Amino acid sequence: MTCEDEKQLRAGISQAIDCGYAVLRNGGLAIDAVEASVRVLENNPLFNAGKGAVFNRDGVNQLEASIMDGHLGAAGAATLLTTVKNPITLARKVMESNFHVFLCGPGAESFAREQGLDIVDPSYFWTRHRWEQHERGYIHNKPLPGSDDSCSMITETSDTLTGSKLQGYSDLPMGTVGAVAIDADGHMAAATSTGGMSNKWDGRIGDSPVIGAGTFANTKVAVSSTGAGEYFIRQSTARYISLRMQLLGESSDQACKAAMSEMRASGGDGGVISISADGHPSMVFCSAGMYRGYCSQSTKHIPVVGIFNDEKIAPGDIHVKI
């Protein structure tokens, strides 16, 4: 990563934080804040979601996303998307249908058109740096070493908080953008979106659209996950964190740290961000680094972003050593 790359990534993360934060400061709902924040990141070609999505091994961008309202217990998800500009908004439309939770492929895109969402030609998602990652991966007959882009918003009301993250997994370019928030009524929400893993098999589905693995929210905590999706699915990581808090009485920091410790022990890596009912944010990762950030009254409502594992930007910013 060059200094200019770092500068642009920090700016992109801050922009997403500001967007979600503004929704909350104007009295908006947590579910509105997380969708707004994720849409900003989906529209930014620097991040592996929406416009900046990676290619699968057939040279196709396949996107996925999920969203959950902790107060209502409602959730929506969509995967195997190739023409929906903002997958997170489609996931919310699925949630608000009050009928299905998870749609995929042509059926999901047909629903998106019926709902009047922005539909684009698949070429919209093409970016040179992602295509070069895809091509070089084949030249070497193995995944190309590269970065994993992942951002998440964490928000609290009176002491509003927003955070973002980027973390690396093995040598596979992959990543997730996501958001968690709590609004003035104490209601929490989580949202996650991704282009998945570079050179993944056609039809591969990661943890990001899986409720309970990549995304979860209830009345105790909201969680968004990123990293080695297969591991997060096997361990139902997002829901697992909630259950540790509920059944063991752990704090969000303790539960997230336990989940990431088990993730590392099982051979995976990644990170989670969460916010609990008392407004405490946790940003815990077992990877080499993670882009993350937050803003609150204590920061004068200015986003603070961290990248490296030796930066501690909040009490709940925890690096589980590899």
Side-chain angles (χ1 to χ4, degrees), residues 46-319:
L46 295 176
F47 300 97
N48 180 14
K51 176 61 177 173
V54 298
F55 292 86
N56 69 11
R57 67 179 183 179
D58 295 330
V60 176
N61 306 103
Q62 290 184 322
L63 290 70
E64 52 194 11
S66 64
I67 194 167
M68 188 164 187
D69 186 319
H71 173 63
L72 299 177
T79 189
L80 303 181
L81 307 174
T82 60
T83 64
V84 178
K85 182 179 180 181
N86 292 107
I88 196 62
T89 297
L90 173 56
R92 183 169 182 180
K93 288 294 186 181
V94 174
M95 179 188 78
E96 292 176 341
S97 72
N98 294 316
F99 190 61
H100 294 310
V101 171
F102 204 163
L103 297 181
C104 74
E109 298 192 318
S110 176
F111 179 70
R113 288 191 293 273
E114 291 172 5
Q115 296 299 306
L117 302 189
D118 290 336
I119 303 299
V120 296
D121 186 88
S123 62
Y124 164 80
F125 300 107
W126 190 95
T127 58
R128 181 171 299 280
H129 72 289
R130 294 302 189 192
W131 183 254
E132 289 176 350
Q133 288 176 346
H134 164 68
E135 286 190 320
R136 292 200 301 269
Y138 275 109
I139 289 172
H140 297 290
N141 196 31
K142 65 179 182 179
L144 169 72
S147 64
D148 175 11
D149 309 330
S150 171
C151 293
S152 304
M153 185 191 80
I154 308 173
T155 310
E156 175 188 353
T157 40
S158 58
D159 189 23
T160 303
L161 216 333
T162 309
S164 303
K165 65 188 176 184
L166 170 96
Q167 56 82 35
Y169 170 57
S170 183
D171 58 354
L172 301 177
M174 52 185 298
T176 306
V177 303
V180 295
I182 184 169
D183 60 31
D185 294 320
H187 300 159
M188 289 172 283
T192 312
S193 180
T194 189
M197 179 185 297
S198 186
N199 290 346
K200 63 188 178 183
W201 295 355
D202 178 32
R204 180 261 188 184
I205 298 172
D207 65 301
S208 295
V210 178
I211 301 300
T215 303
F216 187 77
N218 59 13
T219 59
K220 292 187 177 295
V221 69
V223 182
S224 178
S225 307
T226 180
E230 283 70 17
Y231 290 88
F232 281 82
I233 293 172
R234 294 185 191 111
Q235 297 180 209
S236 301
T237 301
R239 175 63 167 154
Y240 178 60
I241 289 168
S242 170
L243 288 173
R244 290 191 70 98
M245 294 175 66
Q246 179 180 344
L247 302 178
L248 301 179
E250 292 184 342
S251 67
S252 58
D253 286 354
Q254 291 171 324
C256 290
K257 185 175 180 179
M260 290 300 95
S261 294
E262 293 182 23
M263 177 68 61
R264 171 49 67 185
S266 69
D269 71 354
V272 294
I273 54 103
S274 74
I275 194 160
S276 54
D278 62 0
H280 179 77
S282 300
M283 298 169 276
V284 183
F285 57 102
C286 62
S287 50
M290 186 169 85
Y291 279 103
R292 60 226 182 255
Y294 78 103
C295 66
S296 68
Q297 291 177 342
S298 65
T299 66
K300 299 181 179 179
H301 311 297
I302 299 173
V304 177
V305 176
I307 296 177
F308 307 106
N309 58 31
D310 59 354
E311 295 179 273
K312 191 172 181 66
I313 63 172
D317 181 5
I318 302 170
H319 176 230

